[in-house]
Amino acid sequence: FKQIASSDTDILGLWGELYILSQASNTANAVQCWCAHKMAKYDFVTRNFVVEAKTTLLSRRKHSFSLDQLRPNSDFAVYVASLAVVELNSGRTTAELMDFLYSRIENDELRASFLKQCILKGGRDLYRNTLKLGVFPDGTSLAVFDASALPVPRVGEGDPIENVRFDLDLSDLSRLSPSDAASRLSFC
């Protein structure tokens, strides 16, 4: 596999994506919506909407975005799945979470694709990484936001400005209800 060396940020991001996959009612369906390329604009793409997954160890939900991610020039809905995690001795490594999901995929071709994707996103030393992460016991770790309701920098139409990147603290912003969030993360 061609791979840029993995970093803690790659592992953290992959752990979050795998956690979101693990919460889906239909693992195979969710894996089919998971974008294969590490540098894809969105992490999950369905017929009607996309989901960008962001994972943080910080106490606040501060994430980096591109303007184009949150305000695409297309007619599909964009959601942000923000996952706040904590380092725990009793947590799971990325490899453990990957193995758990792998065992839930019945189709051999999809299993092979899933494994390849994990290695491409997490690096060839994925199994050597010992970082154990977990979610909060009160169910507040995962929050889903409608990107169209999030504040973004304003760039005038016709302005010669492009590639706008910014950090956004989602901590105190309005999020989807738990039932709406679960519906989006079922990837139907």
Side-chain angles (χ1 to χ4, degrees), residues 107-120:
N107 179 288
D108 289 340
E109 188 176 317
L110 187 57
R111 287 172 88 178
S113 175
F114 170 78
L115 183 59
K116 177 182 174 185
Q117 209 164 321
C118 289
I119 293 170
L120 288 172

Side-chain angles (χ1 to χ4, degrees), residues 25-98:
S25 56
N26 183 326
T27 302
N29 188 45
V31 169
Q32 289 174 343
C33 295
W34 191 32
C35 291
H37 195 274
K38 180 178 176 176
M39 301 304 289
K41 186 189 298 189
Y42 302 107
D43 296 308
F44 301 93
V45 177
T46 72
R47 287 185 180 150
N48 301 313
F49 62 89
V50 299
V51 176
E52 175 60 14
K54 298 290 186 177
T55 307
T56 185
L57 283 162
L58 301 174
S59 61
R60 303 213 29 104
R61 295 179 186 279
K62 294 181 181 178
H63 304 293
S64 296
F65 296 96
S66 72
L67 182 58
D68 192 41
Q69 273 182 314
L70 299 185
R71 298 294 188 274
N73 292 327
S74 301
D75 284 335
F76 53 80
V78 178
Y79 296 95
V80 175
S82 172
L83 183 63
V85 297
V86 61
E87 200 168 343
L88 294 170
N89 288 328
S90 62
R92 286 180 164 173
T93 66
T94 303
E96 290 168 339
L97 197 50
M98 183 181 78

Side-chain angles (χ1 to χ4, degrees), residues 119-187:
I119 293 170
L120 288 172
K121 288 187 173 197
R124 64 180 164 261
D125 293 331
L126 185 62
Y127 280 99
R128 292 185 187 168
N129 189 292
T130 59
L131 179 66
K132 289 187 170 198
L133 301 171
V135 296
F136 296 109
D138 64 358
T140 60
S141 282
L142 183 59
V144 180
F145 301 84
D146 181 341
S148 68
L150 298 176
V152 298
R154 294 185 192 264
V155 176
E157 194 171 321
D159 286 349
I161 299 170
E162 53 187 60
N163 199 25
V164 177
R165 301 200 59 79
F166 59 97
D167 293 338
L168 183 59
D169 186 346
L170 304 174
S171 303
D172 300 321
L173 300 179
S174 179
R175 57 191 75 182
L176 296 184
S177 70
S179 61
D180 284 346
S183 173
R184 297 312 177 279
L185 298 182
S186 69
F187 302 102

